[in-house]
Amino acid sequence: SAAFVLPTKPQDIMQLSFEAADGTSTSIREFLAEACCDAFLVVHNGRVIAEHYFNGMTVRSHHLLNSVTKSFVGMLAGIAVDRGQLDPSSLVTRYLPELDSAAWQGTTIRHLLDMTAAAQYTEDYADPETDFWKEAAVVGWRPALASDKTPRTLLDFARSLDGQDMENGSRFQYRTVCANVIGMILERAMGARLATLLETEIWCRLAAQHDATIVVDSLGFPYVGAGMNACARDLANFGLMMINDGAFNGRQVVPAEWIADTVKGDSTSKECFAQGAYGDDAPGWHYRNQVWVTAADPAVMLAIGIHGQYVYMDKGRDLVIVMLSSQPQPFDEALDLRTMAAMSAVGSRLEATSSR
């Protein structure tokens, strides 16, 4: 199908100043420089109102998305659930009997989707020996960590985990391995290779202008925890689909019920998040179906990746912001808070100017 090209209606928002969480005032332009931004795209009321590229990036450049990738696999799960191919309340072992081990005992698909699975797995980006980097070594990202003992595949890595460090479903604990296991389960449940499913069920239906690429393990299984690369405009299409109840360009991509469920969460979502590592920094937020959801009313959905990758999805304001960056730190709390403040300020400004 033909690529979908958004109409443009440029506005100058680079001079817009906003107050960060620490009380300092800065402009969007200054913020983007500080945030090591490579691509910044703002779509409001279905039109591109700002599009800026830096550091050699162009409209055709692919950028690593890191954990923004997870939101794609979370939405693919919704398609499988809608078709009766996947039951979120089922145990992981129903689909992946290979994970019949202490690490995955009692873990359901729902636990994986909401990052409340109990498998012991450390994700401290500052620690070179953390499980996250050991898993990344399986797909060649950390050659120094690879050895004769390194699992050959992402499935072998998931099988190598030992034990649990909490109760399943008790709190939000961000573990990239959960997204990869969801991907493995979707292959079995939907009866096709994961890369093919992501392409045919989501990417092609977003009428993207460019292909997306993804890092794979030695068997060609996609690293859906963090390995996708794409262009900013095509990510905006994903965001528009999300804020349009799963529909894009006249066709339903993801079931509307799954988007609604993502935004609403269940009775334990906010409590689990509050118990987790980000509970104090993001009060009232929750994490559902591999998507971050804010406490704002109406809520804003976010796909977020380390080193400064964001798809900010605000249905209430008909706003999607894509920001792709090369920040030196995987996670910079102060910068993260400033990013949220910047995006919120852009939304407020556009809402005010469009209602005049």
Side-chain angles (χ1 to χ4, degrees), residues 35-216:
C36 306
C37 181
D38 300 318
F40 187 69
L41 179 70
V42 181
V43 182
H44 184 237
N45 293 336
R47 297 199 275 285
V48 176
I49 65 111
E51 185 172 23
H52 301 279
Y53 296 96
F54 312 94
N55 307 320
M57 279 275 290
T58 72
V59 68
R60 291 180 296 280
S61 301
H62 282 69
H63 198 288
L64 178 63
L65 307 185
N66 287 311
S67 291
V68 167
T69 311
K70 293 182 173 80
S71 299
F72 282 84
V73 84
M75 292 306 108
L76 181 62
I79 296 169
V81 170
D82 184 59
R83 291 179 185 164
Q85 295 170 317
L86 183 71
D87 175 5
S89 65
S90 285
L91 291 172
V92 167
T93 46
R94 173 180 167 186
Y95 302 94
L96 275 180
E98 297 96 319
L99 294 188
D100 186 13
S101 66
W104 302 102
Q105 198 168 2
T107 304
T108 64
I109 315 301
R110 173 50 61 205
H111 295 141
L112 296 176
L113 284 165
D114 297 355
M115 296 287 186
T116 59
Q120 189 161 348
Y121 173 101
T122 55
E123 186 141 355
D124 174 2
Y125 307 117
D127 175 7
E129 293 289 322
T130 196
D131 290 322
F132 170 78
W133 291 125
K134 287 178 179 170
E135 186 178 30
V138 174
V139 296
W141 272 10
R142 277 287 187 271
L145 284 181
S147 71
D148 302 344
K149 298 188 182 68
T150 299
R152 271 192 63 246
T153 68
L154 290 164
L155 174 58
D156 287 343
F157 177 86
R159 289 175 67 186
S160 76
L161 296 181
D162 192 24
Q164 300 181 341
D165 58 10
M166 64 182 218
E167 196 180 316
N168 278 304
S170 61
R171 64 183 159 92
F172 171 70
Q173 183 73 37
Y174 194 80
R175 310 184 208 245
T176 287
V177 67
C178 292
N180 292 319
V181 174
I182 293 167
M184 296 164 203
I185 288 168
L186 288 171
E187 275 204 343
R188 303 280 174 94
M190 300 179 86
R193 287 180 71 96
L194 182 57
T196 305
L197 291 165
L198 287 167
E199 180 182 353
T200 57
E201 301 291 349
I202 297 182
W203 201 252
C204 289
R205 294 182 177 184
L206 293 177
Q209 294 179 47
H210 306 93
D211 289 344
T213 62
I214 196 160
V215 176
V216 297

Side-chain angles (χ1 to χ4, degrees), residues 6 41 43 231-241 248 311 320 322:
L6 285 164
L41 179 70
V43 182
C231 303
R233 284 189 181 189
D234 297 327
L235 285 175
N237 290 6
F238 178 78
L240 289 167
M241 177 272 291
F248 182 78
V311 183
V320 173
V322 176

